[in-house]
Amino acid sequence: MTKLKEAQDWVREDWEENSKPVDEKTEILFLIEEFGEVAEMIRKIDGNKNRKKVKIDLEKEIGDLLVCLASIANRHHVDLEKAFLKTKRKIQKRHQKGY
Ligand SMILES: [Mg+2]
């Protein structure tokens, strides 16, 4: 679980050192844009003869999406690891109840 925190910290530090600040709306638009690129790669996998390359591209786009999400979490001081663990517990409770 430490790795998720390290990733979030890296995004924060890298943005502070190397990126021009963007407003929240732009940040959300980047997230949506990357989400669309993930969807595009998934669509391309189906029936594509060059699946291996598309899967590599999918991995790259999921990485982009994760960085955008970390940036939004940083803006709002949300700890991604804590957020993930809360959701994990919620899902586990749901499964214990037999939903
Ligand atoms: Mg991308």
Side-chain angles (χ1 to χ4, degrees), residues 10-43:
W10 179 84
V11 169
R12 180 185 308 106
E13 289 161 13
D14 189 71
W15 264 215
E16 284 172 4
E17 287 176 26
N18 303 312
S19 296
K20 281 191 236 169
V22 295
D23 63 20
E24 189 167 24
K25 181 182 168 189
T26 303
E27 201 167 42
I28 293 288
L29 291 172
F30 283 147
L31 181 80
I32 293 167
E33 184 179 316
E34 294 300 342
F35 197 64
E37 290 173 2
V38 168
E40 182 184 5
M41 290 307 123
I42 290 170
R43 182 181 55 76

Side-chain angles (χ1 to χ4, degrees), residues 8-86:
Q8 184 173 6
D9 288 346
W10 179 84
V11 169
R12 180 185 308 106
E13 289 161 13
D14 189 71
W15 264 215
E16 284 172 4
E17 287 176 26
N18 303 312
S19 296
K20 281 191 236 169
V22 295
D23 63 20
E24 189 167 24
K25 181 182 168 189
T26 303
E27 201 167 42
I28 293 288
L29 291 172
F30 283 147
L31 181 80
I32 293 167
E33 184 179 316
E34 294 300 342
F35 197 64
E37 290 173 2
V38 168
E40 182 184 5
M41 290 307 123
I42 290 170
R43 182 181 55 76
K44 283 183 176 177
I45 286 172
D46 214 23
N48 192 319
K49 289 178 185 170
N50 199 3
R51 277 185 195 188
K52 200 170 186 178
K53 190 208 174 297
V54 178
K55 282 208 170 183
I56 291 168
D57 290 344
L58 174 61
E59 188 177 76
K60 180 177 114 5
E61 297 305 342
I62 287 176
D64 291 352
L65 185 60
L66 193 57
V67 166
C68 286
L69 189 62
S71 182
I72 290 170
N74 285 339
R75 177 184 295 270
H76 293 281
H77 308 288
V78 170
D79 183 317
L80 280 180
E81 190 172 314
K82 276 188 190 172
F84 174 80
L85 289 173
K86 278 185 182 179

